[in-house]
Amino acid sequence: MEKSVYNENCPKMDIVSNLLTGRRFSMVDPVSNLSLKDRVAALLRREISTSRVPDGEELTQENVSQALAVSRIPVREAFLQLENEGLLQRLPNRHVRVIGPTPRRIRQNFRMMAAIEAEIVSQISAGWTSSGAEKALESARRAAGEGPRNAFLHWENAFHLALSLALDNPSLHQLHELRRRGLCLDAVSLKEEELLRRDEMILTCLKREDTPAAEAAVREYYAALCAAATKR
């Protein structure tokens, strides 16, 4: 089995103990705008992406709901969401298997995302109104270094999703959003300044209507993320 890239110093633990000791936020965080299902999914996504819940681990609705002191309903919904993102595989008897990060999977996922987004920018028509992307990028600039990294990542992600919104194709936008979420970008330690520089290059190429350069900039962006994710 291919070794996870994140768990060299993180021994495999009982799933209940792991979730109770390793979580980043409370399920009853009063300032969160996320639904309970989304908070459970975000926690599990983070634990899987850092291999605190290791590749191949089997989870059940029962042990996760007990560990997080929530009902099974949001856990079941979170499992379905993460299954759609490719982070869980459904097994019989309501069990799921963790599909954790390995170098091969990371390379495959980032290359696939690069191909999807390069195709998206290739279809953005001349005269594209870039205001949504520009506003998201400006918000990301303001958030950089000014507070929690997740605020920056929210707006940086919004910039990329604004690209697929421009195509007026809801199914493609949904695919783009789902695959971006499945990359677990909050676990990738690429500097904010580097992400902004690469985003600005994508936007500049699109505003110049230089489609080949925009596609190349997108592929370079994901290659940089992939390199950081595999820690090479």
PDB file of all heavy atoms in Angstrom, residues 179-213:
ATOM      1  N   ARG A 179     -14.923  19.356  -6.669  1.00  0.00           N
ATOM      2  CA  ARG A 179     -13.554  18.879  -6.811  1.00  0.00           C
ATOM      3  C   ARG A 179     -12.568  19.797  -6.081  1.00  0.00           C
ATOM      4  O   ARG A 179     -11.574  19.340  -5.519  1.00  0.00           O
ATOM      5  CB  ARG A 179     -13.174  18.774  -8.287  1.00  0.00           C
ATOM      6  CG  ARG A 179     -13.984  17.780  -9.095  1.00  0.00           C
ATOM      7  CD  ARG A 179     -14.196  16.452  -8.372  1.00  0.00           C
ATOM      8  NE  ARG A 179     -12.943  15.856  -7.906  1.00  0.00           N
ATOM      9  CZ  ARG A 179     -12.865  14.973  -6.917  1.00  0.00           C
ATOM     10  NH1 ARG A 179     -13.954  14.602  -6.267  1.00  0.00           N
ATOM     11  NH2 ARG A 179     -11.714  14.469  -6.574  1.00  0.00           N
ATOM     12  N   ARG A 180     -12.829  21.106  -6.068  1.00  0.00           N
ATOM     13  CA  ARG A 180     -11.981  22.013  -5.291  1.00  0.00           C
ATOM     14  C   ARG A 180     -12.035  21.643  -3.805  1.00  0.00           C
ATOM     15  O   ARG A 180     -11.015  21.593  -3.125  1.00  0.00           O
ATOM     16  CB  ARG A 180     -12.441  23.461  -5.468  1.00  0.00           C
ATOM     17  CG  ARG A 180     -12.125  24.100  -6.779  1.00  0.00           C
ATOM     18  CD  ARG A 180     -10.781  24.775  -6.837  1.00  0.00           C
ATOM     19  NE  ARG A 180     -10.585  25.756  -5.779  1.00  0.00           N
ATOM     20  CZ  ARG A 180      -9.445  26.441  -5.637  1.00  0.00           C
ATOM     21  NH1 ARG A 180      -8.438  26.250  -6.483  1.00  0.00           N
ATOM     22  NH2 ARG A 180      -9.309  27.310  -4.670  1.00  0.00           N
ATOM     23  N   ARG A 181     -13.240  21.378  -3.302  1.00  0.00           N
ATOM     24  CA  ARG A 181     -13.401  21.035  -1.894  1.00  0.00           C
ATOM     25  C   ARG A 181     -12.680  19.730  -1.569  1.00  0.00           C
ATOM     26  O   ARG A 181     -12.065  19.594  -0.503  1.00  0.00           O
ATOM     27  CB  ARG A 181     -14.884  20.948  -1.550  1.00  0.00           C
ATOM     28  CG  ARG A 181     -15.185  20.953  -0.067  1.00  0.00           C
ATOM     29  CD  ARG A 181     -16.629  21.313   0.195  1.00  0.00           C
ATOM     30  NE  ARG A 181     -17.545  20.404  -0.466  1.00  0.00           N
ATOM     31  CZ  ARG A 181     -18.578  20.781  -1.217  1.00  0.00           C
ATOM     32  NH1 ARG A 181     -18.830  22.060  -1.418  1.00  0.00           N
ATOM     33  NH2 ARG A 181     -19.377  19.887  -1.773  1.00  0.00           N
ATOM     34  N   GLY A 182     -12.732  18.780  -2.486  1.00  0.00           N
ATOM     35  CA  GLY A 182     -12.088  17.495  -2.257  1.00  0.00           C
ATOM     36  C   GLY A 182     -10.569  17.544  -2.214  1.00  0.00           C
ATOM     37  O   GLY A 182      -9.924  16.605  -1.755  1.00  0.00           O
ATOM     38  N   LEU A 183      -9.974  18.650  -2.678  1.00  0.00           N
ATOM     39  CA  LEU A 183      -8.514  18.787  -2.629  1.00  0.00           C
ATOM     40  C   LEU A 183      -8.010  19.112  -1.231  1.00  0.00           C
ATOM     41  O   LEU A 183      -6.808  19.044  -0.974  1.00  0.00           O
ATOM     42  CB  LEU A 183      -8.046  19.884  -3.594  1.00  0.00           C
ATOM     43  CG  LEU A 183      -8.230  19.602  -5.086  1.00  0.00           C
ATOM     44  CD1 LEU A 183      -7.785  20.811  -5.898  1.00  0.00           C
ATOM     45  CD2 LEU A 183      -7.451  18.359  -5.519  1.00  0.00           C
ATOM     46  N   CYS A 184      -8.918  19.485  -0.309  1.00  0.00           N
ATOM     47  CA  CYS A 184      -8.535  19.811   1.076  1.00  0.00           C
ATOM     48  C   CYS A 184      -7.443  20.878   1.104  1.00  0.00           C
ATOM     49  O   CYS A 184      -6.381  20.707   1.720  1.00  0.00           O
ATOM     50  CB  CYS A 184      -8.070  18.566   1.816  1.00  0.00           C
ATOM     51  SG  CYS A 184      -9.259  17.217   1.839  1.00  0.00           S
ATOM     52  N   LEU A 185      -7.696  21.991   0.449  1.00  0.00           N
ATOM     53  CA  LEU A 185      -6.662  23.014   0.285  1.00  0.00           C
ATOM     54  C   LEU A 185      -6.252  23.677   1.589  1.00  0.00           C
ATOM     55  O   LEU A 185      -5.169  24.255   1.671  1.00  0.00           O
ATOM     56  CB  LEU A 185      -7.140  24.068  -0.719  1.00  0.00           C
ATOM     57  CG  LEU A 185      -7.339  23.542  -2.147  1.00  0.00           C
ATOM     58  CD1 LEU A 185      -7.949  24.619  -3.029  1.00  0.00           C
ATOM     59  CD2 LEU A 185      -6.024  23.051  -2.738  1.00  0.00           C
ATOM     60  N   ASP A 186      -7.098  23.578   2.624  1.00  0.00           N
ATOM     61  CA  ASP A 186      -6.703  24.175   3.895  1.00  0.00           C
ATOM     62  C   ASP A 186      -5.552  23.425   4.552  1.00  0.00           C
ATOM     63  O   ASP A 186      -4.925  23.936   5.479  1.00  0.00           O
ATOM     64  CB  ASP A 186      -7.891  24.264   4.854  1.00  0.00           C
ATOM     65  CG  ASP A 186      -8.492  22.907   5.183  1.00  0.00           C
ATOM     66  OD1 ASP A 186      -8.302  21.971   4.388  1.00  0.00           O
ATOM     67  OD2 ASP A 186      -9.152  22.791   6.230  1.00  0.00           O
ATOM     68  N   ALA A 187      -5.255  22.221   4.053  1.00  0.00           N
ATOM     69  CA  ALA A 187      -4.141  21.449   4.596  1.00  0.00           C
ATOM     70  C   ALA A 187      -2.857  21.635   3.790  1.00  0.00           C
ATOM     71  O   ALA A 187      -1.823  21.046   4.122  1.00  0.00           O
ATOM     72  CB  ALA A 187      -4.498  19.963   4.631  1.00  0.00           C
ATOM     73  N   VAL A 188      -2.903  22.455   2.745  1.00  0.00           N
ATOM     74  CA  VAL A 188      -1.731  22.680   1.888  1.00  0.00           C
ATOM     75  C   VAL A 188      -1.032  23.961   2.330  1.00  0.00           C
ATOM     76  O   VAL A 188      -1.656  25.025   2.392  1.00  0.00           O
ATOM     77  CB  VAL A 188      -2.147  22.780   0.405  1.00  0.00           C
ATOM     78  CG1 VAL A 188      -0.922  23.031  -0.470  1.00  0.00           C
ATOM     79  CG2 VAL A 188      -2.854  21.500  -0.024  1.00  0.00           C
ATOM     80  N   SER A 189       0.241  23.867   2.621  1.00  0.00           N
ATOM     81  CA  SER A 189       0.953  24.991   3.248  1.00  0.00           C
ATOM     82  C   SER A 189       1.673  25.883   2.237  1.00  0.00           C
ATOM     83  O   SER A 189       2.828  26.248   2.432  1.00  0.00           O
ATOM     84  CB  SER A 189       1.967  24.465   4.272  1.00  0.00           C
ATOM     85  OG  SER A 189       2.877  23.568   3.651  1.00  0.00           O
ATOM     86  N   LEU A 190       0.976  26.244   1.156  1.00  0.00           N
ATOM     87  CA  LEU A 190       1.549  27.200   0.210  1.00  0.00           C
ATOM     88  C   LEU A 190       1.257  28.609   0.733  1.00  0.00           C
ATOM     89  O   LEU A 190       0.152  28.907   1.166  1.00  0.00           O
ATOM     90  CB  LEU A 190       0.925  27.018  -1.174  1.00  0.00           C
ATOM     91  CG  LEU A 190       1.685  27.648  -2.352  1.00  0.00           C
ATOM     92  CD1 LEU A 190       3.070  27.039  -2.501  1.00  0.00           C
ATOM     93  CD2 LEU A 190       0.887  27.464  -3.636  1.00  0.00           C
ATOM     94  N   LYS A 191       2.262  29.484   0.690  1.00  0.00           N
ATOM     95  CA  LYS A 191       2.119  30.820   1.266  1.00  0.00           C
ATOM     96  C   LYS A 191       1.026  31.604   0.561  1.00  0.00           C
ATOM     97  O   LYS A 191       0.814  31.491  -0.643  1.00  0.00           O
ATOM     98  CB  LYS A 191       3.445  31.569   1.185  1.00  0.00           C
ATOM     99  CG  LYS A 191       4.524  31.014   2.108  1.00  0.00           C
ATOM    100  CD  LYS A 191       5.797  31.855   2.030  1.00  0.00           C
ATOM    101  CE  LYS A 191       6.858  31.331   2.984  1.00  0.00           C
ATOM    102  NZ  LYS A 191       8.104  32.143   2.909  1.00  0.00           N
ATOM    103  N   GLU A 192       0.360  32.452   1.342  1.00  0.00           N
ATOM    104  CA  GLU A 192      -0.720  33.263   0.798  1.00  0.00           C
ATOM    105  C   GLU A 192      -0.226  34.170  -0.323  1.00  0.00           C
ATOM    106  O   GLU A 192      -0.906  34.354  -1.335  1.00  0.00           O
ATOM    107  CB  GLU A 192      -1.361  34.078   1.925  1.00  0.00           C
ATOM    108  CG  GLU A 192      -2.052  33.197   2.959  1.00  0.00           C
ATOM    109  CD  GLU A 192      -2.495  33.953   4.192  1.00  0.00           C
ATOM    110  OE1 GLU A 192      -2.256  35.183   4.262  1.00  0.00           O
ATOM    111  OE2 GLU A 192      -3.096  33.321   5.089  1.00  0.00           O
ATOM    112  N   GLU A 193       0.967  34.738  -0.155  1.00  0.00           N
ATOM    113  CA  GLU A 193       1.515  35.624  -1.184  1.00  0.00           C
ATOM    114  C   GLU A 193       1.713  34.897  -2.498  1.00  0.00           C
ATOM    115  O   GLU A 193       1.478  35.453  -3.584  1.00  0.00           O
ATOM    116  CB  GLU A 193       2.847  36.215  -0.717  1.00  0.00           C
ATOM    117  CG  GLU A 193       2.740  37.119   0.500  1.00  0.00           C
ATOM    118  CD  GLU A 193       2.709  36.353   1.814  1.00  0.00           C
ATOM    119  OE1 GLU A 193       2.747  35.094   1.780  1.00  0.00           O
ATOM    120  OE2 GLU A 193       2.629  37.007   2.869  1.00  0.00           O
ATOM    121  N   GLU A 194       2.122  33.631  -2.418  1.00  0.00           N
ATOM    122  CA  GLU A 194       2.330  32.839  -3.622  1.00  0.00           C
ATOM    123  C   GLU A 194       1.005  32.527  -4.310  1.00  0.00           C
ATOM    124  O   GLU A 194       0.885  32.608  -5.538  1.00  0.00           O
ATOM    125  CB  GLU A 194       3.051  31.536  -3.259  1.00  0.00           C
ATOM    126  CG  GLU A 194       3.295  30.581  -4.418  1.00  0.00           C
ATOM    127  CD  GLU A 194       4.350  31.084  -5.398  1.00  0.00           C
ATOM    128  OE1 GLU A 194       4.990  32.124  -5.116  1.00  0.00           O
ATOM    129  OE2 GLU A 194       4.524  30.443  -6.430  1.00  0.00           O
ATOM    130  N   LEU A 195       0.002  32.182  -3.522  1.00  0.00           N
ATOM    131  CA  LEU A 195      -1.319  31.923  -4.099  1.00  0.00           C
ATOM    132  C   LEU A 195      -1.878  33.174  -4.772  1.00  0.00           C
ATOM    133  O   LEU A 195      -2.408  33.104  -5.890  1.00  0.00           O
ATOM    134  CB  LEU A 195      -2.275  31.446  -3.005  1.00  0.00           C
ATOM    135  CG  LEU A 195      -2.047  30.026  -2.477  1.00  0.00           C
ATOM    136  CD1 LEU A 195      -2.877  29.794  -1.219  1.00  0.00           C
ATOM    137  CD2 LEU A 195      -2.387  28.987  -3.539  1.00  0.00           C
ATOM    138  N   LEU A 196      -1.746  34.321  -4.114  1.00  0.00           N
ATOM    139  CA  LEU A 196      -2.245  35.571  -4.694  1.00  0.00           C
ATOM    140  C   LEU A 196      -1.520  35.914  -5.992  1.00  0.00           C
ATOM    141  O   LEU A 196      -2.140  36.356  -6.964  1.00  0.00           O
ATOM    142  CB  LEU A 196      -2.088  36.710  -3.687  1.00  0.00           C
ATOM    143  CG  LEU A 196      -3.076  36.722  -2.522  1.00  0.00           C
ATOM    144  CD1 LEU A 196      -2.671  37.774  -1.503  1.00  0.00           C
ATOM    145  CD2 LEU A 196      -4.496  36.973  -3.012  1.00  0.00           C
ATOM    146  N   ARG A 197      -0.212  35.716  -6.003  1.00  0.00           N
ATOM    147  CA  ARG A 197       0.561  36.026  -7.210  1.00  0.00           C
ATOM    148  C   ARG A 197       0.079  35.181  -8.389  1.00  0.00           C
ATOM    149  O   ARG A 197      -0.093  35.687  -9.507  1.00  0.00           O
ATOM    150  CB  ARG A 197       2.050  35.786  -6.958  1.00  0.00           C
ATOM    151  CG  ARG A 197       2.939  36.156  -8.143  1.00  0.00           C
ATOM    152  CD  ARG A 197       4.403  35.854  -7.844  1.00  0.00           C
ATOM    153  NE  ARG A 197       4.662  34.423  -7.752  1.00  0.00           N
ATOM    154  CZ  ARG A 197       4.828  33.629  -8.814  1.00  0.00           C
ATOM    155  NH1 ARG A 197       4.724  34.128 -10.044  1.00  0.00           N
ATOM    156  NH2 ARG A 197       5.077  32.346  -8.656  1.00  0.00           N
ATOM    157  N   ARG A 198      -0.167  33.922  -8.137  1.00  0.00           N
ATOM    158  CA  ARG A 198      -0.603  33.028  -9.213  1.00  0.00           C
ATOM    159  C   ARG A 198      -2.041  33.329  -9.629  1.00  0.00           C
ATOM    160  O   ARG A 198      -2.378  33.265 -10.814  1.00  0.00           O
ATOM    161  CB  ARG A 198      -0.435  31.573  -8.781  1.00  0.00           C
ATOM    162  CG  ARG A 198       1.033  31.189  -8.621  1.00  0.00           C
ATOM    163  CD  ARG A 198       1.237  29.729  -8.274  1.00  0.00           C
ATOM    164  NE  ARG A 198       2.644  29.407  -8.139  1.00  0.00           N
ATOM    165  CZ  ARG A 198       3.474  29.174  -9.141  1.00  0.00           C
ATOM    166  NH1 ARG A 198       3.016  29.212 -10.386  1.00  0.00           N
ATOM    167  NH2 ARG A 198       4.743  28.888  -8.927  1.00  0.00           N
ATOM    168  N   ASP A 199      -2.896  33.670  -8.670  1.00  0.00           N
ATOM    169  CA  ASP A 199      -4.266  34.049  -9.011  1.00  0.00           C
ATOM    170  C   ASP A 199      -4.283  35.321  -9.862  1.00  0.00           C
ATOM    171  O   ASP A 199      -5.055  35.431 -10.831  1.00  0.00           O
ATOM    172  CB  ASP A 199      -5.083  34.275  -7.742  1.00  0.00           C
ATOM    173  CG  ASP A 199      -5.385  32.987  -6.996  1.00  0.00           C
ATOM    174  OD1 ASP A 199      -5.249  31.906  -7.599  1.00  0.00           O
ATOM    175  OD2 ASP A 199      -5.762  33.059  -5.814  1.00  0.00           O
ATOM    176  N   GLU A 200      -3.459  36.274  -9.482  1.00  0.00           N
ATOM    177  CA  GLU A 200      -3.400  37.532 -10.240  1.00  0.00           C
ATOM    178  C   GLU A 200      -2.919  37.296 -11.666  1.00  0.00           C
ATOM    179  O   GLU A 200      -3.385  37.955 -12.603  1.00  0.00           O
ATOM    180  CB  GLU A 200      -2.494  38.520  -9.510  1.00  0.00           C
ATOM    181  CG  GLU A 200      -3.142  39.082  -8.246  1.00  0.00           C
ATOM    182  CD  GLU A 200      -2.156  39.736  -7.298  1.00  0.00           C
ATOM    183  OE1 GLU A 200      -0.931  39.714  -7.596  1.00  0.00           O
ATOM    184  OE2 GLU A 200      -2.592  40.257  -6.261  1.00  0.00           O
ATOM    185  N   MET A 201      -2.018  36.334 -11.848  1.00  0.00           N
ATOM    186  CA  MET A 201      -1.559  36.008 -13.195  1.00  0.00           C
ATOM    187  C   MET A 201      -2.700  35.423 -14.037  1.00  0.00           C
ATOM    188  O   MET A 201      -2.876  35.781 -15.208  1.00  0.00           O
ATOM    189  CB  MET A 201      -0.403  35.008 -13.122  1.00  0.00           C
ATOM    190  CG  MET A 201       0.105  34.567 -14.499  1.00  0.00           C
ATOM    191  SD  MET A 201       0.713  35.948 -15.505  1.00  0.00           S
ATOM    192  CE  MET A 201       2.204  36.380 -14.587  1.00  0.00           C
ATOM    193  N   ILE A 202      -3.502  34.546 -13.431  1.00  0.00           N
ATOM    194  CA  ILE A 202      -4.645  33.975 -14.140  1.00  0.00           C
ATOM    195  C   ILE A 202      -5.604  35.087 -14.568  1.00  0.00           C
ATOM    196  O   ILE A 202      -6.040  35.147 -15.726  1.00  0.00           O
ATOM    197  CB  ILE A 202      -5.372  32.940 -13.257  1.00  0.00           C
ATOM    198  CG1 ILE A 202      -4.474  31.732 -12.978  1.00  0.00           C
ATOM    199  CG2 ILE A 202      -6.684  32.491 -13.921  1.00  0.00           C
ATOM    200  CD1 ILE A 202      -5.017  30.792 -11.907  1.00  0.00           C
ATOM    201  N   LEU A 203      -5.925  35.976 -13.628  1.00  0.00           N
ATOM    202  CA  LEU A 203      -6.858  37.054 -13.916  1.00  0.00           C
ATOM    203  C   LEU A 203      -6.317  37.997 -14.994  1.00  0.00           C
ATOM    204  O   LEU A 203      -7.043  38.397 -15.906  1.00  0.00           O
ATOM    205  CB  LEU A 203      -7.157  37.838 -12.636  1.00  0.00           C
ATOM    206  CG  LEU A 203      -8.182  38.966 -12.764  1.00  0.00           C
ATOM    207  CD1 LEU A 203      -9.533  38.437 -13.229  1.00  0.00           C
ATOM    208  CD2 LEU A 203      -8.323  39.699 -11.435  1.00  0.00           C
ATOM    209  N   THR A 204      -5.035  38.334 -14.903  1.00  0.00           N
ATOM    210  CA  THR A 204      -4.423  39.224 -15.893  1.00  0.00           C
ATOM    211  C   THR A 204      -4.503  38.631 -17.294  1.00  0.00           C
ATOM    212  O   THR A 204      -4.849  39.315 -18.261  1.00  0.00           O
ATOM    213  CB  THR A 204      -2.960  39.509 -15.525  1.00  0.00           C
ATOM    214  OG1 THR A 204      -2.918  40.187 -14.268  1.00  0.00           O
ATOM    215  CG2 THR A 204      -2.284  40.364 -16.583  1.00  0.00           C
ATOM    216  N   CYS A 205      -4.201  37.349 -17.416  1.00  0.00           N
ATOM    217  CA  CYS A 205      -4.253  36.688 -18.725  1.00  0.00           C
ATOM    218  C   CYS A 205      -5.675  36.672 -19.278  1.00  0.00           C
ATOM    219  O   CYS A 205      -5.894  36.887 -20.483  1.00  0.00           O
ATOM    220  CB  CYS A 205      -3.717  35.268 -18.619  1.00  0.00           C
ATOM    221  SG  CYS A 205      -1.954  35.164 -18.248  1.00  0.00           S
ATOM    222  N   LEU A 206      -6.665  36.443 -18.417  1.00  0.00           N
ATOM    223  CA  LEU A 206      -8.049  36.427 -18.869  1.00  0.00           C
ATOM    224  C   LEU A 206      -8.497  37.815 -19.317  1.00  0.00           C
ATOM    225  O   LEU A 206      -9.192  37.948 -20.335  1.00  0.00           O
ATOM    226  CB  LEU A 206      -8.955  35.919 -17.744  1.00  0.00           C
ATOM    227  CG  LEU A 206      -8.919  34.404 -17.491  1.00  0.00           C
ATOM    228  CD1 LEU A 206      -9.677  34.063 -16.219  1.00  0.00           C
ATOM    229  CD2 LEU A 206      -9.495  33.636 -18.678  1.00  0.00           C
ATOM    230  N   LYS A 207      -8.115  38.839 -18.581  1.00  0.00           N
ATOM    231  CA  LYS A 207      -8.510  40.199 -18.956  1.00  0.00           C
ATOM    232  C   LYS A 207      -7.837  40.630 -20.255  1.00  0.00           C
ATOM    233  O   LYS A 207      -8.379  41.445 -21.000  1.00  0.00           O
ATOM    234  CB  LYS A 207      -8.171  41.157 -17.814  1.00  0.00           C
ATOM    235  CG  LYS A 207      -9.048  40.944 -16.583  1.00  0.00           C
ATOM    236  CD  LYS A 207      -8.593  41.757 -15.399  1.00  0.00           C
ATOM    237  CE  LYS A 207      -8.909  43.217 -15.569  1.00  0.00           C
ATOM    238  NZ  LYS A 207      -8.600  43.983 -14.345  1.00  0.00           N
ATOM    239  N   ARG A 208      -6.648  40.069 -20.535  1.00  0.00           N
ATOM    240  CA  ARG A 208      -5.982  40.347 -21.816  1.00  0.00           C
ATOM    241  C   ARG A 208      -6.543  39.494 -22.940  1.00  0.00           C
ATOM    242  O   ARG A 208      -6.120  39.620 -24.081  1.00  0.00           O
ATOM    243  CB  ARG A 208      -4.473  40.060 -21.698  1.00  0.00           C
ATOM    244  CG  ARG A 208      -3.691  41.044 -20.866  1.00  0.00           C
ATOM    245  CD  ARG A 208      -2.215  40.994 -21.251  1.00  0.00           C
ATOM    246  NE  ARG A 208      -1.696  39.635 -21.342  1.00  0.00           N
ATOM    247  CZ  ARG A 208      -0.860  39.086 -20.456  1.00  0.00           C
ATOM    248  NH1 ARG A 208      -0.460  39.779 -19.399  1.00  0.00           N
ATOM    249  NH2 ARG A 208      -0.427  37.861 -20.616  1.00  0.00           N
ATOM    250  N   GLU A 209      -7.455  38.552 -22.580  1.00  0.00           N
ATOM    251  CA  GLU A 209      -8.026  37.601 -23.532  1.00  0.00           C
ATOM    252  C   GLU A 209      -6.947  36.726 -24.160  1.00  0.00           C
ATOM    253  O   GLU A 209      -7.041  36.327 -25.328  1.00  0.00           O
ATOM    254  CB  GLU A 209      -8.859  38.325 -24.598  1.00  0.00           C
ATOM    255  CG  GLU A 209     -10.024  39.107 -24.007  1.00  0.00           C
ATOM    256  CD  GLU A 209     -10.888  39.782 -25.050  1.00  0.00           C
ATOM    257  OE1 GLU A 209     -10.657  39.553 -26.257  1.00  0.00           O
ATOM    258  OE2 GLU A 209     -11.797  40.544 -24.670  1.00  0.00           O
ATOM    259  N   ASP A 210      -5.940  36.405 -23.345  1.00  0.00           N
ATOM    260  CA  ASP A 210      -4.857  35.517 -23.768  1.00  0.00           C
ATOM    261  C   ASP A 210      -5.145  34.133 -23.194  1.00  0.00           C
ATOM    262  O   ASP A 210      -4.655  33.764 -22.126  1.00  0.00           O
ATOM    263  CB  ASP A 210      -3.512  36.055 -23.258  1.00  0.00           C
ATOM    264  CG  ASP A 210      -2.329  35.282 -23.826  1.00  0.00           C
ATOM    265  OD1 ASP A 210      -2.538  34.170 -24.350  1.00  0.00           O
ATOM    266  OD2 ASP A 210      -1.194  35.791 -23.722  1.00  0.00           O
ATOM    267  N   THR A 211      -5.993  33.387 -23.889  1.00  0.00           N
ATOM    268  CA  THR A 211      -6.461  32.102 -23.378  1.00  0.00           C
ATOM    269  C   THR A 211      -5.338  31.093 -23.150  1.00  0.00           C
ATOM    270  O   THR A 211      -5.302  30.440 -22.093  1.00  0.00           O
ATOM    271  CB  THR A 211      -7.526  31.511 -24.316  1.00  0.00           C
ATOM    272  OG1 THR A 211      -8.636  32.415 -24.372  1.00  0.00           O
ATOM    273  CG2 THR A 211      -8.013  30.168 -23.816  1.00  0.00           C
ATOM    274  N   PRO A 212      -4.397  30.899 -24.094  1.00  0.00           N
ATOM    275  CA  PRO A 212      -3.315  29.936 -23.829  1.00  0.00           C
ATOM    276  C   PRO A 212      -2.512  30.274 -22.578  1.00  0.00           C
ATOM    277  O   PRO A 212      -2.145  29.385 -21.807  1.00  0.00           O
ATOM    278  CB  PRO A 212      -2.455  30.021 -25.100  1.00  0.00           C
ATOM    279  CG  PRO A 212      -3.391  30.487 -26.162  1.00  0.00           C
ATOM    280  CD  PRO A 212      -4.321  31.444 -25.473  1.00  0.00           C
ATOM    281  N   ALA A 213      -2.245  31.564 -22.369  1.00  0.00           N
ATOM    282  CA  ALA A 213      -1.492  31.963 -21.181  1.00  0.00           C
ATOM    283  C   ALA A 213      -2.301  31.723 -19.913  1.00  0.00           C
ATOM    284  O   ALA A 213      -1.758  31.337 -18.871  1.00  0.00           O
ATOM    285  CB  ALA A 213      -1.080  33.432 -21.273  1.00  0.00           C
TER     286      ALA A 213
END
